């Protein structure tokens, strides 16, 4: 949450920062701000509540000249979204300006101590405490800014990625990180810094992922310097070639990233599969698994940890792995797992799933699992993010940047990777026959085309959405593999349309939620042909008998539910374990169109951020 950008060099600093903030707006959009340092060392700070466009409007008549600058887009934690709580924050003497992503947990203790030394605070943020602390140390010790930053960061507890400008020192930006992402772009006599590489991908492909407890010194005309937080030691600079292209960051003619990302799924699934299912479906090459075959052969159990949509994918992972590999699987919210004294150890495999690779709770869960001796496997999308670096092994879903806050293509990519993982492990353990494996492999290869066909429902779903735009509540029901899909459908609707929606296992409905059903409560029932089909037919009838309207997602040619439901969306029939990838698409479209009908900002829904790097 929160995005930071910085630039030092000969280009137009303000333009780079603003464009960068737009790219990072998915991380938060409660307020935005820039600090610009002129070549003469004058420091100008401008900030505005709301989206980056508000900041742009505010800056229209301002002095925007600069040779270095830092900027921020905020997801509020400490202090309400407002102009004055917006970053960058100044030190009391106005000599330092700082942007920060993360949370300073001991800010209260530090603030009280600084106030006793005469510091006056003008915001409620934890970030102002950090910038005041740096200034205080610098003045007290008469030391260099780097020494002051180092000492201050050694006093703070919590997570941070920071960038700092000092008045009269236009030649440098200082940055540092611990548990929040920070990447530096190296150009020709220029440096970029950002929470991810998207703000600078068109300028350079050379990136350096700053590690925890490193301080980066960006000086024009000098090589990048990475210093240790603990002492004077200088770290080696490890340059990575970015695999990102600018077209992946644009809407490509779609009105919203979310719609673009929904429609990209035939391609993203193909990218996710590439090189992993070979010989026409007969061989599964998941190197993360094959290189660690012994771990998967000996595994006593698997625990999956994740949050939000990734947790829903994890729940599907349980069905897939238990079903194919006969290994017991538990699925935990990472935020619960980390505080529940998990009984975990050698012989256990922990699979951590995260689109962003930066979710704080998932990262903490990984750390605990590692400390307790488990083998930790990551499933992430963002290459070079923290989770792939903290895990023993893993698989990227390779679906390209997901910018819409509501996860769509990442979900189907995660489920696809989990399906391949289950199949790969089942082959290793001999818990699936060669014939079954080959058949499933062939089906998996067909998924991109099948999903393309499902996207053909777009117009009918758009039309259908108009009928339900003003519903105040929704139920999403499914069984077996489509129970997690129902949960995911409900989450999509609530997060972008703000309609209350509950996902439920269809059979559980009669134990409570059925009391809610009346003509005002529509149900989306996910009921493709599978071994529970007959059972869910009864559930559909129970809803109908109570006057509830039903949108049913069924397999093509369905004869029974189609006659009971008010609206039917037919999807191609596929093997049961592949149905979630197919049935989730109509639900993504339905929530998209309902939110659009309600005039909501689907790419930047209120209160949310794409990457949740705080607790
Ligand atoms: O980046 P992650 O997959 O770790 O993110 C987890 C959740 O924050 C995320 O899935 C969230 O629930 C999405 N907004 C859902 O659309």
């Amino acid at each position: 949450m929160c995005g930071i950008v910085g630039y030092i060099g000969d280009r137009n600093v303000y333009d780079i920062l603003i464009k960068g903030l737009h790219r990072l707006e998915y991380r938060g959009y409660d307020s935005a701000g820039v600090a610009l340092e002129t070549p003469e060392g004058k420091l100008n700070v401008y900030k505005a509540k709301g989206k980056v466009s508000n900041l742009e409007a505010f800056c229209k008549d301002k002095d925007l000249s600069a040779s270095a600058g830092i900027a921020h887009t905020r997801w509020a934690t400490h202090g309400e979204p407002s102009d004055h709580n917006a970053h960058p924050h100044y030190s009391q003497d106005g000599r330092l300006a700082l942007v920060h992503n993360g949370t300073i947990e001991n800010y209260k203790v530090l603030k009280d101590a600084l106030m006793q030394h005469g510091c006056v605070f003008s915001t409620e943020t934890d970030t102002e405490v950090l910038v005041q602390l740096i200034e205080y140390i610098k003045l007290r010790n008469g030391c260099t800014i780097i020494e002051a930053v180092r000492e201050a960061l050694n006093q703070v507890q919590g997570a941070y990625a920071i960038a700092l400008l000092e008045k009269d020192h236009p030649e440098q930006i200082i940055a540092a990180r611990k548990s929040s992402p920070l990447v530096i772009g190296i150009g020709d006599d220029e440096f970029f810094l950002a929470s991810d590489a998207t703000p600078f991908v068109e300028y350079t492909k050379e990136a350096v992922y700053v590690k925890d407890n490193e301080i980066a010194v960006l000086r024009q005309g000098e090589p990048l310097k990475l210093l240790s937080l603990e002492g004077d030691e200088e770290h080696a600079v490890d340059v990575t070639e970015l695999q990102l292209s600018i077209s992946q960051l644009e809407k490509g003619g779609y009105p919203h990233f979310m719609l673009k990302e929904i429609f990209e799924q035939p391609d993203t699934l193909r990218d996710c599969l590439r090189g992993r299912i070979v010989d026409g479906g007969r061989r599964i090459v998941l190197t993360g698994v094959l290189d660690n075959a012994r771990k998967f052969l000996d595994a006593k159990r698997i625990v999956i940890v994740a949050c939000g949509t990734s947790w829903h994918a994890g729940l599907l992972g349980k069905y897939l792995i238990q079903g194919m590999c006969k290994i017991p699987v538990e699925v935990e919210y990472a935020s619960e797992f980390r505080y529940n004294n998990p009984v975990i150890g050698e012989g256990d495999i922990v699979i951590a799933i995260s689109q962003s690779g930066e979710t704080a709770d998932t990262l903490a869960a990984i750390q605990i699992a590692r400390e307790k001796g488990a083998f930790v496997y990551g499933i992430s999308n963002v290459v070079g993010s923290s989770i792939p670096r903290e895990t023993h092994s893993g698989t990227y879903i390779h679906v390209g940047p997901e910018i819409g806050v509501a996860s769509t293509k990442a979900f189907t990519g995660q489920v696809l990777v989990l399906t391949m993982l289950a199949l790969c492990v089942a082959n290793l353990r001999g818990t699936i026959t060669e014939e079954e494996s080959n058949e499933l492999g062939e089906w998996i290869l067909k998924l991109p085309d099948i999903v393309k066909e499902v996207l053909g429902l777009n117009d009918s779903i758009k039309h259908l959405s108009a009928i339900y735009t003003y519903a105040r509540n929704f139920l999403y029901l499914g069984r077996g593999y489509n129970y997690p899909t129902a949960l995911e459908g409900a989450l999509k609707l609530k997060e972008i349309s703000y309609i209350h929606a509950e996902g439920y296992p269809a059979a559980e409905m009669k134990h409570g939620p059925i009391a809610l059903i009346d003509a005002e409560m529509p149900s989306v029932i996910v009921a493709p042909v599978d071994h529970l089909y007959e059972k869910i037919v009864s559930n559909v009838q129970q809803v109908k008998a109570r006057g509830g309207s039903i949108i049913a997602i069924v397999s093509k040619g369905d004869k029974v539910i189609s006659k009971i439901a008010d609206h039917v969306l037919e999807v191609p029939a596929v093997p049961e374990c592949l149905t979630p990838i197919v049935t989730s698409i109509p639900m993504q479209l339905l929530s998209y169109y309902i939110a659009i009908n309600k005039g909501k900002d689907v790419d930047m829904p209120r209160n949310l951020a794409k990457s949740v790097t705080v607790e």
Side-chain angles (χ1 to χ4, degrees):
M1 352 222 35
C2 299
I4 65 174
V5 198
Y7 175 73
I8 185 163
D10 296 332
R11 298 176 197 262
N12 183 316
V13 178
Y14 174 77
D15 285 354
I16 287 175
L17 297 180
I18 289 292
K19 211 156 137 198
L21 285 184
H22 276 298
R23 298 247 170 93
L24 293 181
E25 219 167 1
Y26 73 87
R27 301 178 66 87
Y29 29 83
D30 289 332
S31 63
V34 286
L36 300 168
E37 184 148 7
T38 67
E40 299 74 40
K42 188 171 165 225
L43 202 49
N44 290 314
V45 174
Y46 308 119
K47 12 197 211 180
K49 182 180 168 185
K51 295 190 174 156
V52 177
S53 51
N54 293 3
L55 174 68
E56 282 179 276
F58 180 76
C59 287
K60 269 219 158 73
D61 54 355
K62 301 287 185 293
D63 173 10
L64 301 176
S65 57
S67 55
I70 54 177
H72 187 270
T73 180
R74 179 169 188 241
W75 188 84
T77 55
H78 299 67
E80 55 164 9
S82 65
D83 291 347
H84 81 284
N85 282 334
H87 299 216
H89 289 289
Y90 269 131
S91 58
Q92 196 167 318
D93 63 4
R95 295 194 57 82
L96 305 178
L98 180 107
V99 291
H100 165 221
N101 165 213
T103 8
I104 308 298
E105 284 164 9
N106 58 341
Y107 82 101
K108 190 80 187 64
V109 178
L110 295 170
K111 188 171 182 173
D112 290 346
L114 286 166
M115 281 165 79
Q116 280 179 11
H117 289 292
C119 273
V120 178
F121 287 84
S122 54
T123 78
E124 293 96 63
T125 64
D126 52 339
T127 304
E128 192 190 2
V129 176
L130 179 55
V131 70
Q132 299 272 37
L133 180 64
I134 297 171
E135 178 202 76
Y136 170 76
I137 292 171
K138 185 163 187 293
L139 293 176
R140 186 196 60 192
N141 297 1
C143 60
T144 66
I145 187 70
I146 295 173
E147 284 160 352
V149 167
R150 180 181 283 130
E151 187 174 331
L153 291 179
N154 276 308
Q155 289 187 30
V156 303
Q157 287 157 10
Y160 55 78
I162 58 162
L164 177 113
L165 281 177
E166 185 182 14
K167 192 168 186 284
D168 299 327
H169 288 277
E171 76 285 356
Q172 72 179 8
I173 301 177
I174 298 181
R177 88 155 249 180
K178 183 179 177 196
S179 305
S180 289
L182 182 64
V183 53
I184 290 169
I186 304 181
D188 200 5
D189 200 18
E190 62 183 348
F191 291 109
F192 304 81
L193 73 85
S195 301
D196 67 34
T198 58
F200 56 79
V201 64
E202 64 260 58
Y203 308 111
T204 178
K205 292 278 188 245
E206 286 190 19
V208 175
Y209 290 90
V210 179
K211 298 193 186 78
D212 271 353
N213 302 321
E214 276 185 344
I215 300 176
V217 183
L218 285 60
R219 280 196 194 122
Q220 219 186 342
E222 291 182 23
L224 172 66
K225 224 188 230 178
L226 294 175
L227 305 170
S228 146
L229 190 63
E230 285 94 37
D232 275 339
E233 189 194 340
E234 199 167 324
H235 291 175
V237 174
D238 188 5
V239 181
T240 305
E241 171 105 6
L242 292 175
Q243 302 297 324
L244 206 61
S245 78
I246 191 75
S247 65
Q248 291 177 301
L249 307 176
E250 287 166 352
K251 289 187 193 144
Y254 286 90
H256 298 97
F257 281 109
M258 182 178 176
L259 192 62
K260 176 191 175 214
E261 287 157 7
I262 292 173
F263 271 87
E264 270 176 349
Q265 288 174 104
D267 294 330
T268 56
L269 290 170
R270 207 166 274 121
D271 291 342
C272 181
L273 284 174
R274 187 162 299 122
R276 291 169 170 171
I277 302 224
V278 295
D279 297 344
R282 280 187 294 282
R283 228 158 35 86
I284 319 297
V285 190
L286 220 52
T287 44
V289 171
L290 297 176
D291 292 349
N292 297 284
R294 198 67 259 159
K295 299 275 179 202
F296 285 91
L297 283 168
D298 295 345
K300 290 200 289 280
R301 68 171 177 156
I302 292 181
V303 179
I304 300 180
V305 291
C307 305
T309 287
S310 299
W311 186 84
H312 296 151
L315 208 50
L316 281 164
K318 170 182 166 131
Y319 288 55
L320 289 157
I321 297 169
Q322 272 188 186
M324 287 191 233
C325 316
K326 316 295 175 219
I327 304 174
V329 182
E330 291 160 32
V331 189
E332 296 246 18
Y333 288 113
S335 54
E336 290 295 313
F337 175 90
R338 65 184 289 194
Y339 291 117
N340 271 349
N341 302 316
V343 180
I344 203 113
E346 265 180 57
D348 291 328
I349 295 179
V350 169
I351 300 182
I353 309 174
S354 171
Q355 186 287 130
S356 61
E358 299 293 350
T359 299
D361 286 320
T362 312
L363 268 166
I366 289 172
Q367 212 172 346
I368 292 167
R370 284 187 70 126
E371 279 162 17
K372 289 180 177 274
F375 175 73
V376 187
Y377 196 92
I379 298 180
S380 303
N381 188 32
V382 180
V383 176
S385 57
S386 301
I387 288 176
R389 283 187 282 128
E390 299 295 322
T391 42
H392 294 110
S393 179
T395 305
Y396 282 114
I397 60 174
H398 285 319
V399 299
E402 188 180 65
I403 294 166
V405 165
S407 192
T408 52
K409 62 176 181 173
F411 174 71
T412 49
Q414 290 165 340
V415 178
L416 183 55
V417 163
L418 286 159
T419 312
M420 294 189 284
L421 183 143
L423 194 50
C424 188
V425 175
N427 280 323
L428 282 175
R429 293 170 69 101
T431 47
I432 190 169
T433 65
E434 197 179 328
E435 200 187 347
E436 285 167 334
S437 173
N438 292 350
E439 194 187 331
L440 195 54
E442 281 169 30
W443 271 105
I444 293 176
L445 288 174
K446 288 190 232 168
L447 276 175
D449 290 333
I450 293 171
V451 165
K452 194 167 180 187
E453 191 183 332
V454 180
L455 288 167
L457 290 170
N458 181 58
D459 290 346
S460 345
I461 295 175
K462 192 172 177 178
H463 181 73
L464 178 64
S465 70
I467 306 172
Y468 291 100
T469 299
Y470 297 101
R472 295 168 61 97
N473 299 286
F474 261 88
L475 261 186
Y476 280 72
L477 304 172
R479 300 189 72 153
Y481 279 104
N482 283 290
Y483 154 52
T485 326
L487 294 180
E488 174 58 10
L491 176 63
K492 284 294 82 89
L493 186 70
K494 30 185 175 202
E495 68 182 331
I496 58 170
S497 70
Y498 319 144
I499 295 175
H500 170 247
E502 267 191 71
Y504 243 83
E508 231 356 74
M509 177 195 60
K510 59 184 175 291
H511 299 288
I514 198 163
L516 297 168
I517 291 173
D518 62 15
E520 306 293 310
M521 168 71 111
S523 297
V524 175
I525 304 187
V526 197
V529 170
D530 59 21
H531 79 287
L532 290 166
Y533 180 78
E534 300 302 330
K535 306 278 176 200
I536 206 165
V537 169
S538 317
N539 305 135
V540 172
Q541 272 157 341
Q542 288 154 8
V543 174
K544 200 67 209 163
R546 279 144 190 99
S549 51
I550 296 171
I551 301 168
I553 299 171
V554 296
S555 302
K556 262 195 181 143
D558 180 284
K559 295 270 181 305
V560 183
I561 294 182
S562 311
K563 294 207 178 88
I564 314 171
D566 300 81
H567 311 278
V568 174
L569 297 168
E570 288 196 347
V571 296
V574 295
E576 187 163 341
C577 68
L578 301 184
T579 54
I581 292 180
V582 176
T583 56
S584 57
I585 312 285
M587 287 187 280
Q588 295 172 350
L589 286 168
L590 184 64
S591 47
Y592 172 80
Y593 284 116
I594 289 180
I596 292 297
N597 299 344
K598 293 186 78 165
K600 304 299 179 204
D601 185 344
V602 294
D603 283 339
M604 288 185 243
R606 71 182 179 205
N607 305 338
L608 289 175
K610 185 77 185 155
S611 175
V612 185
T613 53
V614 295
E615 274 204 60

